[in-house]
């Protein structure tokens, strides 16, 4: 039976899926090749080694979960609309796995990933801070609220990551956040 030609993007998406389920221990090239229905050698067509592959997985995850969310919010005209959109994306997505958890674990062993993790978290908090400033908050208060909101989100996700939430439940949650932390 001939092997299927697999793209670099398919390898990366398979890696993201596996990383979020168990970290770098899940990135076994042979098992991924079987799952993708291709030969192990196709991996080396795109990636020099496992380390460069892991780096590409993390960079792609960063792009998909941070930069694209920020870019997508630009379609909204007002700061309030943009904030609501970001909150809906944050609190409306569960069952994604634990990519951030495993990246944090990896960052303890490798400073490169610690820098990427810091960059992602800083980018997320600064973006929300800028939205709060656009809404009319003073910069210091906007910084504090974005910091609190991000850290609240980390705990909230850990608590709810295995659940499927209704749109109504998500909107009720966002309303609570809006009332307590965002309305000025």
């Amino acid at each position: 039976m001939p092997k299927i030609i697999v793209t670099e993007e398919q390898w990366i998406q398979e890696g993201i899926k596996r990383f979020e389920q168990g970290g770098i221990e899940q990135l076994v090239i042979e098992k991924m090749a079987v799952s993708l229905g291709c030969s192990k050698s196709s991996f080396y067509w795109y990636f020099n080694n496992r380390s460069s592959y892991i780096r590409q997985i993390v960079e792609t995850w960063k792009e998909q979960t941070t930069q694209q969310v920020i870019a997508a919010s630009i379609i909204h005209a007002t700061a309030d609309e943009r904030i609501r959109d970001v909150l809906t994306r944050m609190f409306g997505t569960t069952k994604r796995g634990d990519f951030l958890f495993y990246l944090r674990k990896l960052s303890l062993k490798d400073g490169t990933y610690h820098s990427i993790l810091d960059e992602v978290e800083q980018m997320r908090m600064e973006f929300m801070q800028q939205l709060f400033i656009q809404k009319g908050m003073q910069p210091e208060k906007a910084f504090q609220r974005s910091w609190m909101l991000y850290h609240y989100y980390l705990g909230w996700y850990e608590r709810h990551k295995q659940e499927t939430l209704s749109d109504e439940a998500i909107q009720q949650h966002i309303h609570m956040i809006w009332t307590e932390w965002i309305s000025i």
Side-chain angles (χ1 to χ4, degrees):
M1 180 173 170
K3 295 287 182 178
I4 298 170
I5 297 175
V6 175
T7 66
E8 179 179 13
E9 183 62 23
Q10 288 172 303
W11 274 105
I12 291 169
Q13 292 307 316
E14 179 72 15
I16 289 172
K17 182 176 78 176
R18 286 174 177 265
F19 188 90
E20 69 188 11
Q21 298 307 316
I24 60 173
E25 291 80 18
Q26 294 299 311
L27 301 177
V28 178
I29 308 309
E30 294 83 5
K31 288 181 180 179
M32 292 189 320
V34 169
S35 177
L36 290 167
C38 65
S39 68
K40 177 180 164 183
S41 64
S42 78
F43 172 86
Y44 294 102
W45 180 260
Y46 300 112
F47 308 101
N48 293 333
N49 52 46
R50 190 167 176 261
S51 294
S52 67
Y53 177 60
I54 294 168
R55 176 66 184 239
Q56 188 59 48
I57 289 169
V58 171
E59 289 294 336
T60 301
W61 169 84
K62 178 176 110 176
E63 169 71 24
Q64 291 175 346
T65 63
T66 302
Q67 294 163 332
Q68 287 179 4
V69 170
I70 291 170
S73 77
I74 292 173
I75 65 167
H76 300 288
T78 68
D80 282 359
E81 290 171 339
R82 292 177 79 191
I83 292 167
R84 285 188 189 280
D85 178 66
V86 171
L87 291 175
T88 300
R89 290 172 187 268
M90 285 171 67
F91 293 100
T93 308
T94 54
K95 295 195 173 194
R96 280 189 306 223
D98 283 330
F99 198 101
L100 198 56
F101 170 82
Y102 290 112
L103 179 58
R104 211 174 289 290
K105 186 177 173 182
L106 179 59
S107 76
L108 296 173
K109 298 176 186 174
D110 187 330
T112 301
Y113 295 104
H114 186 74
S115 298
I116 292 170
L117 179 61
D118 284 348
E119 179 185 346
V120 165
E121 293 189 318
Q122 194 66 33
M123 192 182 316
R124 291 173 175 186
M125 287 185 282
E126 285 175 1
F127 176 68
M128 189 58 81
Q129 178 185 7
Q130 289 307 310
L131 290 178
F132 289 160
I133 291 169
Q134 290 171 17
K135 182 174 173 42
M137 277 187 200
Q138 293 299 314
E140 183 61 27
K141 184 176 181 180
F143 168 77
Q144 292 168 350
R145 294 287 166 93
S146 66
W147 189 92
M148 288 181 354
L149 180 60
Y150 184 72
H151 289 83
Y152 169 77
Y153 165 73
L154 293 175
W156 179 92
Y157 183 78
E158 181 61 30
R159 170 71 174 81
H160 297 281
K161 66 186 173 188
Q162 300 302 325
E163 299 175 29
T164 300
L165 303 172
S166 70
D167 289 341
E168 181 181 348
I170 293 163
Q171 291 309 313
Q172 287 174 345
H173 189 74
I174 291 170
H175 177 74
M176 180 197 67
I177 291 169
W178 194 274
T179 303
E180 297 300 319
W181 286 347
I182 298 173
S183 61
I184 50 177

